[in-house]
Amino acid sequence: MNIAANPHVQADQTVYLKDYQKPSFLVESINLDIQVYDDHTVVESTLVMNRQTAGDLVLLGRDLELKSIVLNGKNLEVGQYQLDHEQLVITHAPDQVILNTQVVIHPESNTQLEGLYKAGGDLFVTQNEPEGFRKITFYPDRPDVLAEFTTRVEADKKFPVLLANGNLLETGTVGENRHFAIWQDPTKKPSYLFACVIGDLAVLKDHYTTSEGREVALEIYAIEKDIPKCHIAMEALKHSMRWDEEHYGRPYDLDNYMIVAVSQFNMGAMENKGLNIFNTSCVLADEEYTTDAAIMRVQSVIAHEYFHNWTGNRITCRDWFQLCLKEGLTVFRDQSFSEDLQSAAVQRIDDVAVLKAHQFPEDAGPLSHPPRPDHFVEINNFYTATVYEKGAEINRMMSTLLGKEKFRQGTDEYFHRYDGQAVTVEDWVNALSAGSGVDLSNFLTWYNQPGTPKLEAKGEYDEQNHVYRLSFKQSLKVHPKYPNLKAVPVPVALALFNAETGEQYTLHCQDLFVNEVQDGVYLFDQDTATIEFSNVTQKPVVSLLRNFSAPVNLDFDYSDDELAFLIEYETNGFNQWQASQTLLERILLKDHAVEPYIKAIKNTLPDLVKKDPLLASRLFDVPTEGYLGSRIDHDYKPEAIQEKRNSVLETLARELGAFWKETYLSLDPSLQNDFSQAMGERALKNIMLSMMARQGDDSVFDLAYTQYSQTKNMSERLGALRVLVWNDAPQAQNALDDFYRRYKDEALSLDQWFMVQAANPNATAETIKALTEHPDYDLGTPNRVRSVSGGLSNNPVNAWSFGVEHYIGLAEYFDEKNPILGSRLLQVLSRWYTLAEPQRGNVQNALKDLQPHVKSKNVKETLNSILSV
Ligand code: ARG
Ligand code: ZN
């Protein structure tokens, strides 16, 4: 490998942010000609390039069979360029270059689902982010090279649909059996946003008129029978387009917007310019076939990919270290969109639950990295909860601090400054500061440091002077690779309640962002600080981090009764939930008494169930075994956690007695017109069933079976099936067989059938074996693989015993076949070192045994990191 030619890549394959260099050549335009045949594909490309800085002409390419290369009209012979398995280098290239290459590739046998690949029988699609384009043609495949793309796609007429980015210029036939289409994208874009689709698909059409009066044709492509399941996505798309105009002043910029649903896809979806490609799980939505949670997810992913058009596509990343520039901002935007779609409090609860269940553990273990890392081996390993979710939290903190108006001024400035450019996290924070007039530069620290800060707070009431004092201290765990950790700015949203009356105090405190208000925000940006509230007439209960105003671990010396008080009296739904989670964590992990919690639930939930069923359903959340496990750093015994959690749940089931069944019988989601209300009632019904099962009342199985058979709604059907299967009910096998018969041709529903069985707490190694040997289990479809391995990970007791072999086996199997997937599956084991012996040693040995066998950068990097604790 010619290392000198590309100083960006070091010999040990680690890439460093500090080594960033501008590309020596920019690409003005690229003409692509892609000819798909059954057993190979020919790609011809013509690049018009201009020199920008001194240096070699470096084109990246992987798994390409080079047939010819012509530079400014002259055929290059071997020896006039250097070629290895990563790149093609031409030294002494002239300043203006027209480069034509012809390569042969093999999408029909591409199992990595990266570049151009066959996704099932009648469909070829692309996935080029981050570095897939180099598997299609030789190209400076990096996001700071923006070019105009013209694409000709040619294939057999058995594939009637030929799509690429931009506007359709021309179609025609080639001989008898083949046809072509030529597309041109008027906007310059990096290669990772290139897409094309060749297939036999049906289409749902609609249209949208932008605030500027542009008529946009909207199209969602899917296999014929799935078209009826595309309406919710289409509505969400139109809604997103309006939302971005109203909230960010960003209208759409092309005459068409296409979405293609693909059943074999590594991730959720991809924001290719004007031609999004989606995992079917993130576009198909239908109450009969998919759950309420899946429907909510579809709407948020549709919005996410649409919002990328401005935050990601028109303004893109200078290099992949800046990934969280586009992802963190776009997740923040899609979360805000979803908050407008349903209850804002519940959306926040769900988003924070994901953050705490995935990002916090990631950031506390061997895979911890800053939202903007400063080095990596394989960038695909950095599409993480930290980059996405913690990245979103950083933007949320800045927006909380600025308020709506100033935040909008800041984003306006960002779009104004950088439209059409590839930029950095610094550029974003600078524009936001300049536009809002508030210096936010210390928020850059959040982007550059790993770890979840610990926020310790203490409250002290001065009865004589009616003063309440709050003192704060922040700290971060030492990280070997990031030694110089600094204090970060922590916006603390807070409220004070009168403990006697439950009423909220007006806040009198000079240090708050806005003074004399009920909801205050204090910006804590030192190592320690103390603030004072005056006119506090009685000892207050303070509610901290309202709406989770900062992604920190809060340590406040609440009494259990104060937490119970907040469950009852806090008016912020999120913090009500937060209080119940904190209290439950103490009960479950620190053996605190369960009574204050039960009393608060009894006082709160019966009313809330009627008023706000969706929020009520979340207030019944009991932290999962997985989450509880992630809070333990050593000597972790999954069985002990399981036992404790079950016993608390049984107490709760017993203590609320007839409440469960009475509530169950009183709910009727079919009477609710509002989707959120109905969704809340469905969630509640399923909770009630599972609590009745915990009461040991066998009649629950008849209720569940009736619910299972009579409903047309997937959330109800699946909820009932889960109760039957997980409790080994006599009706369980019947229901499972029936479910299989109903949905054997509906991949997403069938995924749920696999999932329910894999997630059964009583599942054994034999259960998993039977599922993975089932004729419908398919290693070529990541959704199906994840339905079993994701289900299994629901039960840490199982995942850490017979599951270990399952995950290691998959990592080894996918190592080269689909390294992105293999690496992700292995990450499930990243907290092995917290286990108690002998389990700890067993998993460690299994991981070490795998080490000599893995070959891909993806799996290697993950395995090495995991083992490096
Ligand atoms: N940019 C896409 C999104 O967030 C994700 C693409 C990730 N792909 C990958 N191969 N890591 O919407
Ligand atoms: Zn994204």
Side-chain angles (χ1 to χ4, degrees):
M1 164 147 115
N2 185 336
I3 291 154
N6 189 355
H8 213 53
V9 179
Q10 301 291 317
D12 69 351
Q13 296 196 313
T14 304
V15 192
Y16 294 91
L17 171 58
K18 64 174 166 48
D19 292 344
Y20 173 81
Q21 285 185 2
K22 284 186 179 178
S24 44
F25 282 81
L26 291 180
V27 181
E28 208 165 278
S29 65
I30 167 170
N31 248 286
L32 267 176
D33 184 355
I34 300 177
Q35 298 168 33
V36 177
Y37 296 92
D38 285 344
D39 57 357
H40 72 287
T41 289
V42 180
V43 181
E44 201 181 317
S45 77
T46 305
L47 312 180
V48 177
M49 308 177 82
N50 293 311
R51 181 181 291 283
Q52 183 182 216
T53 64
D56 299 338
L57 172 53
V58 180
L59 301 163
L60 301 165
R62 200 184 302 153
D63 302 335
L64 307 174
E65 256 172 64
L66 181 61
K67 294 296 179 189
S68 75
I69 172 164
V70 179
L71 185 128
N72 291 346
K74 284 196 203 94
N75 231 326
L76 292 189
E77 303 300 332
V78 182
Q80 295 180 287
Y81 56 86
Q82 294 149 279
L83 177 63
D84 64 32
H85 62 284
E86 291 281 351
Q87 57 190 11
L88 190 160
V89 179
I90 302 169
T91 40
H92 313 300
D95 292 351
Q96 259 127 40
V97 170
I98 297 181
L99 187 83
N100 177 280
T101 62
Q102 200 189 59
V103 301
V104 167
I105 57 175
H106 290 282
E108 73 282 356
S109 57
N110 175 354
T111 55
Q112 302 186 339
L113 315 189
E114 233 192 337
L116 178 63
Y117 66 94
K118 191 171 184 182
D122 297 319
L123 187 59
F124 290 83
V125 300
T126 51
Q127 171 55 40
N128 291 327
E129 184 184 357
E131 301 182 333
F133 193 68
R134 65 192 61 184
K135 296 184 65 178
I136 295 176
T137 191
F138 285 103
Y139 196 77
D141 183 19
R142 37 187 290 172
D144 55 353
V145 174
L146 282 72
E148 200 182 289
F149 279 68
T150 306
T151 310
R152 180 180 179 279
V153 191
E154 185 196 303
D156 194 292
K157 284 181 181 163
K158 69 184 172 190
F159 304 113
V161 174
L162 305 175
L163 308 175
N165 320 76
N167 301 315
L168 182 61
L169 289 189
E170 194 186 327
T171 58
T173 55
V174 182
E176 232 173 65
N177 300 324
R178 295 178 69 79
H179 66 152
F180 71 90
I182 301 177
W183 295 80
Q184 187 167 49
D185 188 349
T187 46
K188 285 193 154 207
K189 65 166 175 292
S191 49
Y192 82 88
L193 292 174
F194 168 79
C196 67
V197 173
I198 297 103
D200 184 5
L201 296 170
V203 59
L204 175 70
K205 295 188 181 191
D206 207 326
H207 55 87
Y208 178 82
T209 311
T210 69
S211 55
E212 296 175 323
R214 180 192 292 273
E215 281 298 321
V216 186
L218 309 178
E219 300 181 330
I220 303 183
Y221 290 84
I223 56 172
E224 182 90 55
K225 87 172 166 55
D226 285 340
I227 291 293
K229 307 185 190 91
C230 294
H231 293 284
I232 291 177
M234 185 64 91
E235 288 311 306
L237 174 59
K238 289 187 280 182
H239 195 155
S240 309
M241 295 176 98
R242 188 67 68 215
W243 195 91
D244 214 14
E245 290 171 357
E246 286 171 358
H247 292 78
Y248 286 83
R250 298 296 119 197
Y252 187 59
D253 56 355
L254 289 178
D255 298 332
N256 61 4
Y257 193 90
M258 300 175 278
I259 291 174
V260 179
V262 177
S263 57
Q264 295 175 355
F265 201 74
N266 271 339
M267 317 285 286
M270 180 61 212
E271 69 264 23
N272 317 300
K273 184 75 187 188
L275 178 54
N276 290 181
I277 296 179
F278 270 63
N279 189 322
T280 44
S281 71
C282 293
V283 60
L284 305 182
D286 182 309
E287 287 194 28
E288 201 176 330
Y289 298 100
T290 63
T291 62
D292 292 338
I295 292 172
M296 295 311 292
R297 173 151 166 85
V298 163
Q299 302 182 79
S300 78
V301 179
I302 290 279
H304 180 96
E305 306 310 334
Y306 176 71
F307 295 159
H308 267 316
N309 191 56
W310 276 96
T311 50
N313 300 3
R314 287 190 65 139
I315 304 183
T316 193
C317 301
R318 188 193 71 173
D319 54 73
W320 288 119
F321 294 101
Q322 319 296 328
L323 179 60
C324 76
L325 168 68
K326 75 175 177 81
E327 295 305 342
L329 181 51
T330 304
V331 172
F332 171 60
R333 278 149 53 70
D334 85 55
Q335 290 180 347
S336 312
F337 170 83
S338 295
E339 283 169 21
D340 287 354
L341 218 59
Q342 61 156 328
S343 143
V346 172
Q347 184 63 40
R348 189 64 185 137
I349 289 170
D350 293 353
D351 290 334
V352 173
V354 168
L355 183 81
K356 290 194 165 188
H358 299 286
Q359 199 278 323
F360 278 28
E362 177 173 282
D363 224 350
L367 299 175
S368 169
H369 55 275
R372 181 179 56 189
D374 63 9
H375 66 280
F376 59 72
V377 173
E378 170 55 62
I379 183 57
N380 270 300
N381 283 336
F382 288 80
Y383 285 72
T384 58
T386 297
V387 168
Y388 277 67
E389 267 71 41
K390 188 175 181 179
E393 294 300 321
I394 301 173
N395 291 303
R396 181 182 293 269
M397 286 189 283
M398 294 191 287
S399 114
T400 301
L401 214 61
L402 293 179
K404 266 206 169 75
E405 213 171 297
K406 283 190 182 144
F407 186 70
R408 174 66 189 272
Q409 289 164 350
T411 60
D412 283 353
E413 180 65 20
Y414 176 65
F415 295 119
H416 172 72
R417 278 191 191 180
Y418 297 119
D419 189 11
Q421 299 181 40
V423 305
T424 63
V425 164
E426 280 80 3
D427 293 329
W428 158 240
V429 175
N430 288 341
L432 204 52
S433 301
S436 65
V438 179
D439 180 6
L440 299 162
S441 51
N442 57 351
F443 277 87
L444 282 169
T445 312
W446 276 104
Y447 282 102
N448 293 328
Q449 288 184 174
T452 304
K454 179 169 165 187
L455 177 65
E456 286 169 273
K458 282 201 166 56
E460 190 195 349
Y461 183 56
D462 174 348
E463 210 179 320
Q464 260 171 4
N465 298 307
H466 289 182
V467 165
Y468 182 68
R469 255 176 231 104
L470 260 178
S471 48
F472 295 101
K473 181 181 167 203
Q474 62 169 300
S475 54
L476 262 173
K477 214 171 77 184
V478 190
H479 192 291
K481 287 188 191 156
Y482 297 89
N484 302 313
L485 300 175
K486 295 194 290 189
V488 286
V490 181
V492 185
L494 51 84
L496 295 183
F497 291 87
N498 184 319
E500 305 272 294
T501 65
E503 270 160 36
Q504 213 178 310
Y505 282 109
T506 299
L507 301 177
H508 302 278
C509 170
Q510 296 163 3
D511 300 300
L512 297 188
F513 242 62
V514 199
N515 212 355
E516 318 239 328
V517 287
Q518 285 210 313
D519 305 275
V521 178
Y522 167 60
L523 181 62
F524 171 51
D525 54 5
Q526 313 290 311
D527 292 318
T528 61
T530 301
I531 58 175
E532 281 190 0
F533 299 86
S534 52
N535 297 349
V536 184
T537 49
Q538 273 170 309
K539 183 172 194 264
V541 178
V542 62
S543 188
L544 290 167
L545 289 183
R546 283 181 125 200
N547 266 337
F548 210 56
S549 57
V552 298
N553 268 312
L554 175 66
D555 181 351
F556 184 76
D557 56 355
Y558 282 115
S559 69
D560 289 356
D561 286 333
E562 285 174 323
L563 288 169
F565 170 93
L566 289 175
I567 298 177
E568 286 191 52
Y569 293 100
E570 178 43 300
T571 49
N572 180 294
F574 173 82
N575 266 36
Q576 252 184 312
W577 176 83
Q578 185 58 70
S580 82
Q581 297 306 295
T582 308
L583 186 48
L584 280 165
E585 201 174 313
R586 292 178 177 188
I587 295 165
L588 290 159
L589 293 180
K590 296 191 174 137
D591 286 320
H592 284 219
V594 71
E595 284 73 23
Y597 171 74
I598 289 184
K599 189 171 142 241
I601 288 291
K602 278 185 180 165
N603 289 342
T604 315
L605 265 303
D607 277 346
L608 199 62
V609 161
K610 294 188 199 95
K611 258 193 8 226
D612 188 347
L614 192 59
L615 180 60
S617 71
R618 299 308 193 268
L619 284 187
F620 282 113
D621 280 348
V622 172
T624 63
E625 289 171 39
Y627 174 74
L628 293 166
S630 80
R631 307 290 287 173
I632 298 172
D633 283 330
H634 48 85
D635 233 3
Y636 164 41
K637 299 189 182 81
E639 286 83 4
I641 297 289
Q642 183 178 65
E643 206 176 302
K644 177 74 190 183
R645 185 172 181 273
N646 281 337
S647 95
V648 168
L649 278 165
E650 261 139 46
T651 309
L652 186 60
R654 195 175 55 240
E655 287 290 324
L656 270 74
F659 168 78
W660 307 111
K661 191 164 184 173
E662 281 167 17
T663 306
Y664 180 82
L665 295 173
S666 75
L667 294 167
D668 189 351
S670 69
L671 298 178
Q672 298 288 354
N673 295 321
D674 179 65
F675 180 76
S676 291
Q677 294 281 111
M679 172 167 66
E681 292 211 357
R682 286 192 282 269
L684 282 173
K685 277 183 78 175
N686 292 337
I687 292 168
M688 302 299 138
L689 279 182
S690 69
M691 293 308 274
M692 284 152 68
R694 294 219 180 243
Q695 288 179 315
D697 171 1
D698 279 356
S699 76
V700 62
F701 298 141
D702 292 328
L703 287 175
Y705 195 73
T706 305
Q707 174 176 320
Y708 172 86
S709 351
Q710 291 186 351
T711 183
K712 283 203 161 73
N713 177 282
M714 182 51 85
S715 287
E716 290 199 32
R717 179 137 32 227
L718 198 61
L721 181 67
R722 190 178 295 128
V723 167
L724 295 171
V725 172
W726 290 10
N727 291 287
D728 274 326
Q731 301 90 329
Q733 196 54 48
N734 247 342
L736 272 175
D737 294 345
D738 175 79
F739 194 100
Y740 180 79
R741 268 194 308 275
R742 281 177 197 261
Y743 301 114
K744 62 181 188 314
D745 298 321
E746 294 290 336
L748 297 174
S749 311
L750 199 57
D751 287 341
Q752 299 296 330
W753 183 83
F754 278 92
M755 172 95 89
V756 150
Q757 297 176 77
N760 183 355
N762 306 311
T764 61
E766 284 66 45
T767 316
I768 301 303
K769 185 161 185 280
L771 291 174
T772 55
E773 285 172 359
H774 191 279
D776 289 303
Y777 186 76
D778 172 19
L779 288 163
T781 304
N783 288 355
R784 190 57 49 84
V785 175
R786 285 187 285 247
S787 67
V788 174
S789 45
L792 176 55
S793 72
N794 257 15
N795 292 291
V797 171
N798 299 347
W800 287 118
S801 50
F802 54 85
V804 173
E805 204 187 314
H806 172 80
Y807 293 111
I808 287 190
L810 288 175
E812 189 170 2
Y813 175 83
F814 284 119
D815 176 26
E816 288 185 290
K817 291 193 181 68
N818 185 341
I820 293 177
L821 182 60
S823 172
R824 297 221 149 210
L825 292 166
L826 190 61
Q827 287 176 13
V828 176
L829 302 180
S830 66
R831 290 184 62 82
W832 63 271
Y833 64 95
T834 62
L835 291 164
E837 295 292 0
Q839 239 175 337
R840 183 184 192 278
N842 292 341
V843 185
Q844 185 179 28
N845 287 337
L847 289 166
K848 279 188 176 158
D849 288 346
L850 176 63
Q851 234 171 356
H853 302 292
V854 300
K855 298 192 178 66
S856 69
K857 282 203 282 184
N858 309 54
V859 180
K860 249 194 216 168
E861 183 183 30
T862 298
L863 186 53
N864 290 345
S865 303
I866 287 182
L867 278 169
S868 73
V869 288

